[in-house]
């Protein structure tokens, strides 16, 4: 297990971040500043329908930039779609990639960027630090407060043959600039704000107890948990802009924390559910979070006790184990308040798939930094507990 007391080297990388109401208006200047003349804008049809792509194109064209829009993007982006996008990118002669969207368009944009300069198949880059050539300049405009893909060195790609979600983890795929405009979050449906908010909470919790966490990542993780506790319900209930801003910063800080400290067993167990059933990533994280946290509690007791305070529990006078035990309870209360599903059976998951999913979860990159090691039978038991 690696921590900052070991000899292991730790790192802290983040993109340039531009944050605030109306930040989207700076997109053209940012794209021009990283060398853009012809922009490959990756998005999805929902973002186009919401009007944000028209806004983005207006700001890009105001700087005299030419633009190509690529919107063949689905939730849980597939390997072949990324390769199709890369072929399109190569034909257009674009020089900068701009992603406008949630995790799926941003991950697709990262995959296209990898293929633009590294060739072969996208599957060859699944794993740690396998992207050797620098990608084209990449500017992200996140439209959800959840994935943190705009500030992370992760891209998740679905292997369409194996139906497995797999992680590409490399410093080389980090965006140059992230433009975070909370106003953009106002057009999201409530269910999506809730599910992506739970993804943010999962990022912060997993990063905080990761075996690669360190003093540069911990404050961001704890603050993200405090912000989710303060703002998520209000953001979902009335889309109040200050609450959406709180969630935008929570997503940003959780993204900074997990990009540098990596994740854990919740993500490892959620990825097979996304791969096999095409379920929303935030939703499956939310279902798996309480059961995994309960199993992890004794392996990072002091940190879970600190987390209880961040979640609003008055922990003075409590033993750390007592304080820590409040964390899964608080998470379950939040899930109840948001009205999110609590069982895999509600999401159409078949019990027969649990052994195969447990095997996939065991092999997932995110499992490596969980605060403890699980046998495959332990993972099966966790799936059964929430089925
Ligand atoms: Fe996530």
């Amino acid at each position: 297990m690696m921590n900052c007391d070991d000899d292991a080297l730790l790192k802290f990388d983040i993109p340039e971040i531009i944050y605030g109401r109306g930040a989207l208006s700076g997109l053209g200047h940012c794209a021009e500043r990283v060398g853009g003349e012809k922009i490959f804008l990756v998005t999805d049809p929902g973002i186009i329908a919401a009007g944000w792509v028209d806004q983005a194109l207006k700001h890009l064209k105001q700087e005299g930039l030419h633009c190509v829009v690529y919107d063949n993007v689905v939730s849980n982006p597939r390997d072949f779609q990324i390769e199709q996008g890369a072929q399109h990118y190569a034909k257009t002669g674009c020089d900068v990639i701009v992603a406008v969207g949630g995790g799926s368009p941003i991950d697709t944009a990262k995959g296209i960027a990898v293929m633009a300069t590294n060739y072969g198949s996208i599957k060859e880059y699944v794993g740690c630090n396998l992207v050797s050539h620098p990608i084209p300049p990449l500017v992200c405009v996140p439209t959800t407060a959840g994935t943190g893909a705009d500030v992370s060195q992760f891209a998740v790609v679905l292997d369409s043959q194996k139906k497995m979600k797999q992680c590409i983890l490399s410093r080389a795929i980090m965006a140059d600039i992230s433009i975070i405009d909370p106003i953009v979050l106002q057009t999201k449906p409530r269910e999506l704000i809730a599910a992506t908010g739970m993804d943010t909470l999962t990022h912060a919790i997993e990063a905080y107890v990761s075996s690669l966490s360190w003093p540069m990542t911990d404050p961001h993780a704890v603050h993200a948990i405090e912000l989710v506790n303060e703002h998520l319900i209000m953001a979902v209930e009335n889309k109040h802009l200050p609450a959406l801003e709180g969630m935008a910063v929570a997503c940003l800080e959780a993204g900074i924390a997990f990009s540098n400290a990596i994740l854990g067993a919740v993500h490892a167990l959620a990825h097979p559910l996304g791969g096999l059933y095409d379920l929303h990533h935030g939703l499956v994280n939310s279902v798996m979070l309480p059961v995994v946290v309960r199993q992890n509690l004794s392996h990072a007791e002091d940190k879970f006790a600190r987390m209880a305070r961040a979640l609003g529990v008055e922990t003075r006078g409590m033993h750390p184990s007592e304080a820590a035990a409040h964390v899964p309870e608080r998470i379950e209360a939040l899930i109840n308040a948001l009205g999110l599903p609590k069982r895999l059976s509600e999401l159409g998951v078949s019990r027969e798939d649990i052994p195969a999913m447990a095997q996939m979860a065991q092999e997932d990159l995110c499992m490596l930094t969980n605060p403890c090691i699980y046998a495959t039978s332990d993972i099966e038991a966790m799936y059964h507990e929430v089925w």
Side-chain angles (χ1 to χ4, degrees):
M1 204 63 64
M2 200 174 348
N3 60 47
C4 59
D5 296 327
D6 293 327
D7 294 331
L9 296 176
L10 295 153
K11 63 177 179 55
F12 191 80
D13 286 319
I14 56 170
E16 178 183 338
I17 293 159
I18 297 171
Y19 172 85
R21 297 182 192 184
L24 179 60
S25 64
L27 175 61
H29 178 58
C30 288
E32 192 264 334
R33 199 154 52 79
V34 294
E37 290 183 4
K38 192 170 182 185
I39 309 303
F40 194 76
L41 190 153
V42 182
T43 188
D44 68 34
I47 308 296
I48 293 175
W52 298 117
V53 172
D54 280 346
Q55 290 282 318
L57 290 172
K58 182 182 86 179
H59 298 307
L60 290 163
K61 287 174 183 170
Q62 276 170 351
E63 292 293 326
L65 304 174
H66 300 281
C67 304
V68 173
V69 175
Y70 183 76
D71 70 347
N72 184 20
V73 174
V74 294
S75 184
N76 297 317
R78 277 74 171 154
D79 43 14
F80 65 89
Q81 289 165 330
I82 286 168
E83 287 166 12
Q84 285 168 1
Q87 286 164 11
H88 195 53
Y89 175 85
K91 277 188 215 149
T92 56
C94 289
D95 45 25
V96 164
I97 299 177
V98 168
V100 180
S104 298
I106 294 175
D107 281 352
T108 301
K110 286 178 173 177
I112 290 170
V114 169
M115 301 305 298
T117 50
N118 289 271
Y119 316 108
S121 154
I122 191 69
K123 293 179 199 170
E124 292 171 38
Y125 304 99
V126 167
C128 274
N129 297 322
L130 298 175
V131 180
S132 48
H133 298 292
I135 64 171
L138 174 63
V139 179
C140 294
V141 181
T143 60
T144 60
T147 69
D150 53 305
V151 292
S152 84
Q153 51 183 322
F154 276 82
V156 184
V157 178
L158 195 144
D159 183 320
S160 53
Q161 285 175 330
K162 295 180 185 166
K163 289 194 168 184
M164 274 177 84
K165 285 180 81 169
Q166 297 181 315
C167 296
I168 296 170
L169 173 55
S170 173
R171 170 67 186 86
I173 64 170
M174 188 173 277
D176 293 271
I177 305 175
S178 174
I179 299 173
I180 302 168
D181 186 341
I183 289 174
V184 175
L185 304 177
Q186 287 183 304
T187 55
K188 289 289 147 191
R190 287 185 167 74
E191 312 79 62
L192 194 67
I193 296 172
T196 53
M198 289 305 292
D199 189 24
T200 280
L201 180 62
T202 308
H203 293 156
I205 290 175
E206 298 217 278
Y208 190 44
V209 299
S210 160
S211 57
L212 286 177
S213 64
W214 65 299
M216 285 294 285
T217 58
D218 285 349
H220 294 291
V222 172
H223 192 227
I225 294 167
E226 288 169 347
L227 287 170
V228 171
N229 185 58
E230 189 179 343
H231 295 292
L232 180 54
I233 291 174
M234 191 76 85
V236 171
E237 282 181 356
N238 61 16
K239 298 194 191 179
H240 194 39
L241 192 54
L244 291 170
E245 288 174 318
M247 286 307 301
V249 176
C251 175
L252 169 62
E253 290 205 77
I256 288 169
F258 92 78
S259 179
N260 290 288
I262 319 299
L263 293 159
V266 183
H267 274 75
L269 271 71
H271 286 153
L273 291 158
L276 283 179
Y277 292 96
D278 211 16
L279 292 166
H280 187 273
H281 175 67
L283 213 54
V284 285
N285 271 335
S286 178
V287 173
M288 298 313 306
L289 184 59
V291 65
V292 174
V293 163
R294 277 204 174 85
Q295 293 299 317
N296 279 349
L297 279 184
S298 63
H299 301 277
E301 207 167 72
D302 287 343
K303 283 198 160 180
F304 279 112
R306 174 67 188 89
M307 242 184 253
R309 286 209 307 282
L311 287 167
V313 178
E314 176 49 79
T315 60
R316 265 179 295 189
M318 283 187 194
H319 186 273
S321 63
E322 188 189 350
H326 284 276
V327 173
E329 290 169 13
R330 286 287 302 153
I331 296 167
E332 284 165 341
L334 184 58
I335 292 168
N336 281 334
L338 295 170
L340 291 171
K342 287 176 275 189
R343 308 213 69 84
L344 295 177
S345 50
E346 291 175 65
L347 301 174
V349 175
S350 163
R351 245 190 144 110
E352 285 69 52
D353 284 333
I354 287 178
M357 291 196 303
Q359 193 56 48
M360 287 184 212
Q362 186 66 279
E363 292 165 15
D364 193 284
L365 203 60
C366 295
M367 198 59 101
L368 297 174
T369 44
N370 196 64
C372 62
I373 294 167
Y374 289 116
T376 307
S377 56
D378 298 329
I379 299 170
E380 284 190 30
M382 286 191 268
Y383 280 130
H384 279 294
E385 198 173 324
V386 292
W387 186 79

